[in-house]
Amino acid sequence: MIDKESFFKKYNLGDEDLKEAKITWEELEKIYDSYCQLEPRLREVSKDFVDDYLYDIEKAGIHSYRYRTKEPGHLLEKIIRKRREEYQKYREINADNFYKYLTDLIGIRVLFLYREDWINFHRYITSVFENNPELYIQDRLKDYDPDENHYYVAERPKVYKRAGDSRIYDEKLIEIRSDGIYRSLHYIIKYKGYYVEIQGRTLFEEGWSEVDHDIVYPYNKNDVMLKDFSTLLNRLSGMADEMSSYFRRMTEQKKENDR
């Protein structure tokens, strides 16, 4: 059981937000209880995924990884937010089908030392999972595949980048988006009956993202001062990434010259 007042206080929400989302607290309680019963299974699935595909980090082309299942309160907050933003898309979500709508109940973070290393992971993940555009999700309910043994890429891989970032991504391989400051690779994999969201970032970008997510997003995103400081930290992380890439290119050039 989740306490309504504590939930509202933690996530800076109120009854008015539920009205705007057109959902009752009783419906949210049912989803909460259903998710708490499902979460142990999701933990098993996430561990299996990591053991099967990411444990050998060199083979996967990454520096390191970490994984988690979604915190129940975050799940309810996201449902409220999504119904407010895209009501028609999420209007049928309920305690029986929420796992078909939300693709990040299992979240895996893969980290790169250098930004350019994304290509190694992309080649790996699209080689071990079927990547057929005909299987990409369009309708969350109609396109859900109940076959637990069918593993595949469920959305077109995409990357969010900042304007001015180095042109290291190939549009033929990955959808490129830009939203100002957010940098991250995104893959949605259908695995053992559930969706697994994989995000790829550099170590520097991960540091900024963790600070921003803890302090600014999504509960203080209207605080101008916090957003300004977060933007500054983001620029510094971007510069650190660029410098790291320069260091590597200089080292590689030096090796070539010494041959």
Side-chain angles (χ1 to χ4, degrees):
M1 182 66 67
I2 184 171
D3 180 70
K4 182 179 179 180
E5 291 186 8
S6 298
F7 172 79
F8 279 171
K9 183 177 181 180
K10 180 175 181 179
Y11 295 101
N12 194 24
L13 295 169
D15 286 317
E16 189 61 34
D17 295 288
L18 268 60
K19 290 180 182 179
E20 291 180 9
K22 300 179 183 179
I23 193 168
T24 66
W25 180 250
E26 289 70 27
E27 290 176 289
L28 291 172
E29 283 185 316
K30 291 179 182 178
I31 294 174
Y32 179 91
D33 292 340
S34 180
Y35 178 69
C36 288
Q37 294 179 33
L38 176 63
E39 190 179 15
R41 173 56 182 160
L42 296 179
R43 290 176 185 170
E44 292 177 0
V45 171
S46 62
K47 186 178 185 304
D48 289 345
F49 188 99
V50 166
D51 289 344
D52 290 344
Y53 301 104
L54 300 179
Y55 184 76
D56 187 342
I57 59 174
E58 291 187 6
K59 182 180 179 181
I62 60 178
H63 173 275
S64 53
Y65 64 83
R66 60 190 183 92
Y67 61 99
R68 57 92 182 128
T69 55
K70 201 168 193 67
E71 195 274 327
H74 283 157
L75 170 65
L76 299 190
E77 183 276 329
K78 184 169 185 176
I79 290 173
I80 295 169
R81 177 159 43 90
K82 287 297 184 181
R83 282 176 62 100
R84 291 173 64 188
E85 296 171 353
E86 304 175 83
Y87 176 73
Q88 288 302 318
K89 183 176 180 179
Y90 290 92
R91 64 189 176 90
E92 294 185 43
I93 194 170
N94 58 46
D96 297 320
N97 64 23
F98 64 92
Y99 63 90
K100 299 178 182 180
Y101 278 92
L102 302 177
T103 57
D104 64 345
L105 298 182
I106 297 173
I108 297 177
R109 191 71 47 81
V110 296
L111 303 176
F112 311 119
L113 188 56
Y114 302 101
R115 192 177 295 173
E116 295 84 357
D117 290 342
W118 75 274
I119 190 63
N120 301 319
F121 180 73
H122 178 84
R123 289 169 178 162
Y124 170 74
I125 209 70
T126 53
S127 70
V128 295
F129 290 103
E130 181 181 5
N131 185 26
N132 182 354
E134 293 182 2
L135 297 175
Y136 292 170
I137 306 168
Q138 298 298 325
D139 185 295
R140 295 297 169 97
L141 288 181
K142 294 180 181 179
D143 295 342
Y144 177 79
D145 184 351
D147 185 356
E148 293 188 4
N149 296 311
H150 188 192
Y151 307 164
Y152 58 92
V153 180
E155 290 185 1
R156 186 185 177 195
K158 57 181 174 287
V159 63
Y160 292 90
K161 72 178 192 69
R162 272 190 63 178
D165 281 349
S166 301
R167 297 182 180 180
I168 61 173
Y169 303 106
D170 187 338
E171 293 182 356
K172 297 189 296 294
L173 302 178
I174 196 164
E175 179 183 351
I176 300 176
R177 298 183 180 183
S178 178
D179 70 348
I181 65 173
Y182 187 62
R183 295 183 182 95
S184 185
L185 286 170
H186 285 252
Y187 299 85
I188 303 298
I189 308 295
K190 184 70 182 308
Y191 177 71
K192 294 192 174 182
Y194 301 99
Y195 294 115
V196 177
E197 181 188 66
I198 304 175
Q199 293 188 20
R201 295 185 182 132
T202 64
L203 295 173
F204 286 113
E205 190 67 21
E206 175 71 354
W208 165 77
S209 177
E210 284 297 297
V211 172
D212 181 76
H213 199 83
D214 183 56
I215 297 178
V216 180
Y217 177 84
Y219 319 120
N220 296 303
K221 60 184 178 181
N222 294 323
D223 189 306
V224 176
M225 184 179 70
L226 289 178
K227 286 183 64 177
D228 285 346
F229 283 145
S230 179
T231 300
L232 177 59
L233 185 60
N234 176 268
R235 291 172 181 167
L236 292 173
S237 69
M239 292 175 63
D241 274 333
E242 294 288 352
M243 288 298 297
S244 297
S245 295
Y246 288 144
F247 282 147
R248 184 166 70 171
R249 287 199 292 270
M250 289 172 61
T251 301
E252 291 174 347
Q253 186 62 53
K254 186 176 185 302
K255 290 180 180 178
E256 286 292 324
N257 294 337
D258 291 342
R259 288 179 180 177

